[in-house]
Amino acid sequence: MIEARGLGRTFTTRQGSVEAVRGVDLDVGAGEIVGFLGPNGAGKTVTDL
Ligand SMILES: Nc1ncnc2c1ncn2[C@@H]1O[C@H](COP(=O)(O)OP(=O)(O)OP(=O)(O)O)[C@@H](O)[C@H]1O
Ligand SMILES: [Mg+2]
């Protein structure tokens, strides 16, 4: 079982703060296969599932 609550990631850049991911909640049960979909820049890689 994977449980995540309130995942977030904020980058500090020269232009200021970039809140790339905010408030991701996720439950994945044993044996479940989960796809993580979203448009370019949505935050899939940063969430690092
Ligand atoms: N090192 C970084 N510094 C600043 N912003 C970043 C950094 N890495 C990612 N971001 C920003 O975080 C957001 C999410 O990026 P991410 O790479 O997770 O998207 P993605 O869903 O994986 O996109 P893609 O489908 O193109 O792979 C984007 O707005 C991106 O510009
Ligand atoms: Mg990506």
Side-chain angles (χ1 to χ4, degrees):
M1 178 78 182
I2 297 170
E3 293 181 30
R5 291 291 176 271
L7 287 179
R9 180 95 189 258
T10 300
F11 296 99
T12 302
T13 73
R14 282 182 214 153
Q15 284 74 38
S17 195
V18 176
E19 194 175 24
V21 173
R22 175 179 59 214
V24 173
D25 297 333
L26 183 77
D27 293 316
V28 183
E32 280 188 322
I33 297 172
V34 175
F36 199 50
L37 306 178
N40 295 133
K44 302 178 299 291
T45 297
V46 170
T47 303
D48 199 20
L49 293 171

